[in-house]
Amino acid sequence: MNWDMIFGKLRWDSFVFTGAFENPSSSEFVAFGAGSIVILGAICVVALLSVMGWWVPLWKNWLTSLDHKRIGIMYIVLAIVMFVRAVIEAGVMRSQQLAAYDGAGYLAPDHFAQLFTTHGTIMIFFVAMPMITGFMNYIMPLQIGARDVTFPLLNAISLALTAAGAVLVMASLVLGEFSTGGWSAYPPYTGLEYSPGVGVDYWIWAVTLSTIGSTMTAINLLATVYKNRCPGMTLMQMPLFSWTTLCASALMLFALAPLTAATTMLALDRYLEFNFFTNSNGGNMMNYANLFWLFGHPEVYILILPVYGMWSEIVPTFSAKKLYGYRSLVYATIGIAFVSFLVWLHHFFTMGQSAAVNVAFGIGTMIIGIPTGVKIYDWMLTMFRGRIRLTTPMLFHIYFIVVFIIGGMTGILLSNPTVDFQVHNSLFLIAHFHNMIIPGVLYGLFAGYIYWFPKVFGFRLDEAMGRRAFWCFAPGFILAFFPLYFIGMTGATRRTISWSEPAYLPYFAVAMLGVLLIMAGVAYLIVQVIVSYRDRQELAVPLGDPWDGRSLEWSIPSPPPEYNFAVIPVVTSRDAFAENKEAGIAYQPPKAYEDVEIPRNSMSAPLIGLAALALAFALVWHIWWLVIVSFIGLWAVVIARSFVTNTMKIIPASLLKAENEAFLAAIRDAVGVNRDLEMSPQNRGKAIPDLLQHLPERGQHVVGAAL
């Protein structure tokens, strides 16, 4: 039995560390440092879990949990870890471009190409997607009054597959290399002829695992919205975040399938010479471009629609008003979801199709701006004459409106094929895309994270640190990307490692300053969590409603119990919880309690994730015995799970009654706080509705009735 049979294409020089010794250079030392961080980070995590004795709790309470809330948290934690890597890579790329004026800089061309490929791949598939999926997993079932998602085990498997894909991307820092073909991985460059190494294979299997996991998530969330809404909640009574979850899940279901097909066909080209996308033997790479962008453009709205839903929860809460134009927002969401499938071809206006086709897709691209404009106006009208509290989430929202409109206008420019032809493949395009994604998705996720953090963990985040983070992010984004508009218009191309135009130097310097400010903002968010955890007793909001929220998730304790609701709520209106608070009938004890069934923990999901990771790693390195073993192991777990019958556990009515009555008693005994005390230690999660703060006599009567 020889080496190849056991280890496939793996060699000693596959380790990233060997390059620094055999071919020392600044680029190799950067790679050495990145690989070392991954190894040391893994060692530190293992040591911490061992020293603190957390292995058993981690396995029993988290990795095997089927609770949608814990799964949502793990999605977000995964996204945060990957986000830190992607931000560091962005800083390295920008510093390389600053250093490479009329010279080579400090990175090798292939290394730079790997960086922009991993940055894009990670930010889309392993930051934005899992973070949004985490929010949808955690918040949507609470908003519709459900105990869990429809398929809890499928939910855990989806997370395990996504995590396996992320681990595969991280492994490429230590073993081998990642793709140099960009996040879109266009063949024929990513075919075996031009990219014979393992980098493209890492990309294929990491993305494939992610898309399979996200497709299963879409099925789960769609079924949950349709089947698990509480009594009385019609579709037109759902909160906007639940509506955007519904539409984004529909997009995921139909948009991710073309990408999974494309990555599978590309893999068949590379492994079995199928010639789907080659330049010869009947292949056609335009088939790949169509499949990829059939996913790629709806993907933009998979990312941004849930954030639109977050803004639709944050704005009315911190404006102390009902959401303006609810129905128009719903119809706009549906319209965006529909039109997003009709405009994919604008991503290759320059690839040779007729002028008539380009014009049709250009018009379609412009049309999608109409429902987006409806949303902007509805949010502004919600704020109009509201009693706005300029909390950190609201600061992010106001900033988002201003900067996002600028990005939208540049998108209208790019929808014109003649303009697109001039700036295609330039830094203008990079500036536009980031102008939509960073304020539109990333900063929205930060706002939602701060908004719902007290619901998830039972204590608020430190407001001062949040504001400091915002005041780093706000100018940081403008400085980092607005200069790219200018030099992109003058011809600066994207994905370029070095350049010789002296006029670009000040623009790259300003962009580097912006990146540093963004990194400072990330640091402040990390410090915010540390400070808030230290002061968690003062920031605690166990009563569950620190912001005077309007939807059902704010009606239960923070953090929520495993079963979510002691008794499934019955609603009769859109803002039932807010209206009940104003009428003094919120927090009423139920007439009776019943036993509740919730899913038992299962080790199936993490075992499937490990088997999928082993299978993908073996395919990357052509370790065929491991491919067979892991494939059999994966399906063995699935088959074994099908024989398990004891999948549910009972929470007795007596326990529900004891816990819920203690919560209601705490609500009765607590003193409500108004908006002026919202950020003070007096805020324990019982907010006095803003309406009652301005009707003293009625307020005293209603609050007295509630007590």
Side-chain angles (χ1 to χ4, degrees):
M1 185 176 292
N2 59 25
W3 177 281
D4 290 350
M5 185 174 293
I6 300 175
F7 296 105
K9 295 167 67 175
L10 268 174
R11 298 291 184 272
W12 286 113
D13 59 5
S14 300
F15 284 91
V16 70
F17 310 110
T18 59
F21 297 102
E22 296 177 358
N23 303 293
S25 67
S26 56
S27 186
E28 291 292 348
F29 287 128
V30 170
F32 182 97
S36 299
I37 290 172
V38 172
I39 297 294
L40 291 175
I43 292 172
C44 289
V45 168
V46 170
L48 178 65
L49 293 172
S50 301
V51 170
M52 301 301 294
W54 288 345
W55 282 109
V56 173
L58 177 66
W59 177 258
K60 293 181 62 176
N61 300 334
W62 289 93
L63 297 181
T64 60
S65 175
L66 302 188
D67 183 353
H68 72 97
K69 299 181 293 299
R70 291 182 182 265
I71 290 172
I73 292 171
M74 287 188 284
Y75 264 118
I76 294 172
V77 170
L78 172 68
I80 290 172
V81 172
M82 300 303 287
F83 174 68
V84 172
R85 174 182 168 180
V87 169
I88 293 172
E89 288 178 337
V92 172
M93 284 190 291
R94 190 63 70 232
S95 64
Q96 160 64 25
Q97 289 181 318
L98 180 61
Y101 165 58
D102 212 17
Y106 64 91
L107 292 180
D110 275 0
H111 193 174
F112 185 78
Q114 288 182 59
L115 284 174
F116 64 65
T117 304
T118 53
H119 175 77
T121 302
I122 289 171
M123 288 300 289
I124 296 296
F125 295 105
F126 300 108
V127 175
M129 286 288 283
M131 188 170 287
I132 285 167
T133 302
F135 276 105
M136 294 192 297
N137 255 294
Y138 197 105
I139 302 301
M140 182 272 290
L142 297 178
Q143 286 194 333
I144 65 173
R147 295 209 187 278
D148 209 320
V149 295
T150 302
F151 307 114
L153 179 59
L154 187 68
N155 200 22
I157 294 172
S158 302
L159 169 63
L161 294 179
T162 303
V167 171
L168 207 62
V169 176
M170 297 299 281
S172 70
L173 279 175
V174 179
L175 284 169
E177 59 186 9
F178 204 70
S179 172
T180 58
W183 83 281
S184 53
Y186 279 167
Y189 177 74
T190 51
L192 199 60
E193 180 180 359
Y194 298 103
S195 298
V198 299
V200 176
D201 299 323
Y202 267 126
W203 182 90
I204 287 172
W205 300 117
V207 170
T208 301
L209 288 173
S210 171
T211 57
I212 293 172
S214 294
T215 301
M216 294 193 299
T217 294
I219 295 169
N220 211 344
L221 296 180
L222 284 168
T224 301
V225 171
Y226 281 122
K227 305 296 289 185
N228 290 21
R229 298 193 308 278
C230 65
M233 182 175 284
T234 64
L235 286 174
M236 279 299 177
Q237 289 177 341
M238 289 196 307
L240 247 298
F241 181 73
S242 295
W243 254 112
T244 56
T245 296
L246 173 64
C247 291
S249 299
L251 290 180
M252 290 164 64
L253 182 62
F254 291 105
L256 289 167
L259 179 60
T260 306
T263 57
T264 303
M265 293 163 74
L266 183 59
L268 290 171
D269 274 9
R270 291 178 59 84
Y271 285 80
L272 298 175
E273 300 182 1
F274 266 47
N275 297 299
F276 285 116
F277 307 129
T278 59
N279 280 327
S280 59
N281 300 320
N284 186 347
M285 69 83 59
M286 285 305 299
N287 291 333
Y288 181 91
N290 278 282
L291 286 170
F292 184 86
W293 290 113
L294 274 172
F295 148 79
H297 196 77
E299 168 68 7
V300 174
Y301 296 98
I302 290 171
L303 301 181
I304 210 164
L305 281 179
V307 178
Y308 286 167
M310 293 179 186
W311 293 135
S312 299
E313 306 296 330
I314 290 168
V315 172
T317 297
F318 291 118
S319 298
K321 282 180 63 181
K322 290 186 69 171
L323 182 65
Y324 183 91
Y326 173 90
R327 285 184 177 273
S328 64
L329 283 165
V330 170
Y331 296 142
T333 300
I334 296 171
I336 289 171
F338 176 74
V339 178
S340 71
F341 278 103
L342 306 180
V343 296
W344 81 92
L345 194 138
H346 72 214
H347 287 278
F348 40 99
F349 274 152
T350 63
M351 291 189 184
Q353 57 274 359
S354 70
V357 171
N358 281 353
V359 168
F361 279 85
I363 292 171
T365 303
M366 294 180 188
I367 288 173
I368 207 167
I370 296 173
T372 303
V374 168
K375 288 179 173 289
I376 297 290
Y377 279 114
D378 281 342
W379 292 323
M380 291 194 297
L381 289 168
T382 301
M383 291 188 286
F384 180 65
R385 291 187 175 178
R387 297 191 70 237
I388 297 173
R389 289 113 76 189
L390 289 177
T391 58
T392 303
M394 279 300 285
L395 290 175
F396 273 115
H397 177 71
I398 294 168
Y399 177 84
F400 152 78
I401 286 180
V402 175
V403 180
F404 190 76
I405 289 174
I406 296 172
M409 289 190 294
T410 63
I412 297 299
L413 286 175
L414 289 168
S415 69
N416 185 322
T418 57
V419 175
D420 184 87
F421 192 90
Q422 297 300 316
V423 298
H424 185 76
N425 211 35
S426 75
L427 287 175
F428 186 93
L429 183 64
I430 296 298
H432 160 72
F433 179 75
H434 287 82
N435 202 162
M436 306 305 289
I437 293 298
I438 292 181
V441 177
L442 190 61
Y443 289 0
L445 290 171
F446 290 161
Y449 153 77
I450 294 169
Y451 177 66
W452 275 300
F453 189 94
K455 173 52 57 183
V456 176
F457 294 105
F459 60 92
R460 293 177 285 112
L461 287 169
D462 183 87
E463 180 70 7
M465 288 295 172
R467 288 174 180 269
R468 291 176 188 175
F470 169 79
W471 288 114
C472 289
F473 284 126
F477 165 76
I478 292 173
L479 294 175
F481 291 99
F482 276 33
L484 305 188
Y485 279 125
F486 296 104
I487 59 177
M489 287 289 284
T490 63
T493 55
R494 60 177 176 165
R495 299 175 176 172
T496 301
I497 188 172
S498 61
W499 45 280
S500 57
E501 172 56 61
Y504 295 167
L505 182 59
Y507 292 96
F508 278 122
V510 171
M512 186 68 221
L513 175 60
V515 170
L516 292 175
L517 282 172
I518 290 173
M519 295 176 78
V522 173
Y524 269 122
L525 287 181
I526 296 171
V527 172
Q528 182 188 37
V529 173
I530 296 170
V531 170
S532 302
Y533 181 77
R534 182 197 66 192
D535 300 335
R536 63 190 180 279
Q537 297 302 324
E538 296 177 9
L539 298 170
V541 286
L543 304 182
D545 183 27
W547 312 130
D548 185 22
R550 307 188 67 82
S551 43
L552 290 177
E553 74 267 28
W554 303 108
S555 67
I556 57 178
S558 294
E562 187 177 13
Y563 46 83
N564 292 350
F565 300 91
V567 174
I568 294 296
V570 177
V571 301
T572 56
S573 61
R574 189 174 300 145
D575 291 320
F577 179 55
E579 293 173 6
N580 287 345
K581 286 190 294 182
E582 292 169 0
I585 57 174
Y587 305 114
Q588 296 297 311
K591 295 179 180 179
Y593 295 89
E594 297 180 353
D595 293 349
V596 169
E597 277 191 339
I598 62 173
R600 292 182 180 275
N601 288 8
S602 171
M603 67 175 65
S604 300
L607 293 179
I608 288 172
L610 287 172
L613 174 61
L615 175 62
F617 183 82
L619 285 168
V620 168
W621 291 100
H622 294 196
I623 308 174
W624 301 118
W625 67 266
L626 184 56
V627 170
I628 296 169
V629 170
S630 54
F631 183 81
I632 294 173
L634 189 155
W635 286 104
V637 174
V638 173
I639 294 168
R641 170 67 186 185
S642 69
F643 287 95
V644 177
T645 57
N646 186 19
T647 61
M648 305 297 287
K649 67 178 180 180
I650 303 295
I651 299 180
S654 58
L655 178 60
L656 296 177
K657 181 177 181 179
E659 292 184 355
N660 195 51
E661 294 296 331
F663 169 66
L664 296 177
I667 288 284
R668 288 193 297 269
D669 295 340
V671 177
V673 298
N674 59 29
R675 55 182 292 160
D676 296 325
L677 299 174
E678 193 170 56
M679 298 300 173
S680 71
Q682 289 94 316
N683 185 359
R684 308 298 289 177
K686 182 182 178 182
I688 299 175
D690 195 80
L691 174 65
L692 303 187
Q693 297 175 35
H694 296 89
L695 297 174
E697 294 182 1
R698 182 188 173 197
Q700 292 175 7
H701 170 73
V702 172
V703 173
L707 294 175

